[in-house]
Amino acid sequence: MTNVWKSDLYRIGKSKLLYGVAAFTFIIAFFLIMLMRQDISLGISVFGNLTAFKEIDDIIRIGIMYQKGLGVLVAVLISVFIGQEYQWLTWQQKWLTSKSRIYIYLSKAALSSGVSAAIFLIFQIVALLSSGQIQGMLTPEYAGMMISGIFIYAALGSVICLLSMLVKSSTTSIIVCLGYVLFSETLISLIRNLSSFSNAASRLVEWGVQHSIYGMSLIASGTAVSVNLTIIILTNSLAIMLLSTTVDYFCFGSTNCKIMAG
């Protein structure tokens, strides 16, 4: 697995897209904070859902809501990174090196979670340092939001990795991953409407939504994050990462899977 891990680290380290996404994240966070410091109000509409920025805290919280922007960058970065393996037909080389498809997947999953969390941290660190309110913002609640956000984005990275690994075409994987990020809210609304025929079904769906990445992002960005809530989000995020890894183990890791390395 060491050779596969080194190979993936080398590739991501040489990726111009990674540095481009990181630079764009830096610029966006800095630009939004500068607008707030100049008392300029700003609103961003995503598929008709308007998000207004009235103060710096709104920008900090919007970073946790992956579907509002950062998730798009994460989806493009990870799907392109993994899709290039199919585009360049390099799966066979890694298969010959590691002799285990599960090692190949675990390397991709760990890297995807790490990169996703790193994009979130870049946005938040730039926003914090540019705010001019560092002392006032460094509170236990802020720490809880940051820890929760890190694990939410790590879980998002693992799910994006899962989707990318299950789609052979590099172009298709980008479309699928972007669809997952951009239409997650629409899909959840549809599921809620379909489950309204039964109280039991509605309760089950609500439980699922609360424990989804989307649900956790809403909770962490919209309420005061306590220690207990942070622990719940952390535990739930780890469960999502474990589940996505298990699903891909039975697909990508199985010799009977239709999607084969090479």
Side-chain angles (χ1 to χ4, degrees):
M1 182 177 179
T2 303
N3 291 332
V4 176
W5 177 249
K6 288 181 178 179
S7 174
D8 285 338
L9 280 177
Y10 177 81
R11 280 189 58 227
I12 196 67
K14 293 291 184 178
S15 172
K16 294 181 180 179
L17 180 60
L18 171 65
Y19 297 110
V21 168
F24 185 72
T25 302
F26 182 101
I27 292 171
I28 289 297
F30 184 78
F31 175 73
L32 291 175
I33 291 295
M34 289 300 103
L35 288 180
M36 292 299 99
R37 295 187 66 173
Q38 296 297 322
D39 294 327
I40 300 175
S41 299
L42 179 68
I44 297 178
S45 178
V46 180
F47 294 105
N49 189 0
L50 180 64
T51 300
F53 300 103
K54 298 180 180 179
E55 54 187 31
I56 291 177
D57 184 65
D58 293 332
I59 298 175
I60 299 296
R61 293 180 181 276
I62 202 66
I64 300 177
M65 301 178 68
Y66 68 92
Q67 69 276 15
K68 297 295 185 179
L70 285 187
V72 173
L73 300 179
V74 170
V76 171
L77 177 59
I78 295 176
S79 59
V80 169
F81 174 72
I82 294 177
Q84 286 174 340
E85 298 276 12
Y86 292 106
Q87 183 181 355
W88 298 340
L89 301 177
T90 55
W91 287 115
Q92 285 184 337
Q93 298 175 7
K94 293 188 175 180
W95 162 243
L96 293 173
T97 300
S98 68
K99 298 297 182 182
S100 173
R101 291 182 178 87
I102 191 59
Y103 286 167
I104 296 174
Y105 171 69
L106 288 176
S107 174
K108 295 288 189 302
L111 200 59
S112 297
S113 293
V115 167
S116 181
I119 295 300
F120 168 76
L121 279 175
I122 290 173
F123 182 90
Q124 297 295 351
I125 290 173
V126 172
L128 176 65
L129 295 179
S130 305
S131 67
Q133 303 176 10
I134 296 179
Q135 292 183 346
M137 293 178 62
L138 292 180
T139 63
E141 179 184 347
Y142 176 82
M145 288 175 58
M146 292 304 101
I147 295 172
S148 298
I150 289 171
F151 279 91
I152 288 171
Y153 272 83
L156 175 65
S158 70
V159 172
I160 296 297
C161 176
L162 168 63
L163 296 175
S164 299
M165 296 287 276
L166 293 179
V167 180
K168 289 183 178 181
S169 169
S170 58
T171 302
T172 305
S173 67
I174 296 174
I175 296 173
V176 170
C177 293
L178 283 176
Y180 170 78
V181 171
L182 293 174
F183 296 104
S184 57
E185 187 172 6
T186 302
L187 179 60
I188 287 175
S189 297
L190 177 62
I191 294 174
R192 280 172 167 166
N193 291 333
L194 292 176
S195 66
S196 60
F197 69 92
S198 167
N199 289 333
S202 295
R203 288 195 296 268
L204 180 61
V205 168
E206 286 303 319
W207 181 89
V209 170
Q210 290 177 5
H211 289 79
S212 67
I213 299 175
Y214 172 79
M216 290 190 296
S217 70
L218 286 184
I219 294 172
S221 63
T223 60
V225 181
S226 63
V227 174
N228 290 336
L229 181 57
T230 301
I231 293 174
I232 291 173
I233 291 176
L234 187 155
T235 303
N236 200 60
S237 297
L238 291 175
I240 292 174
M241 287 186 274
L242 178 61
L243 179 60
S244 62
T245 302
T246 302
V247 170
D248 230 338
Y249 172 80
F250 286 106
C251 291
F252 186 77
S254 172
T255 56
N256 296 321
C257 183
K258 293 182 180 179
I259 300 176
M260 304 295 287

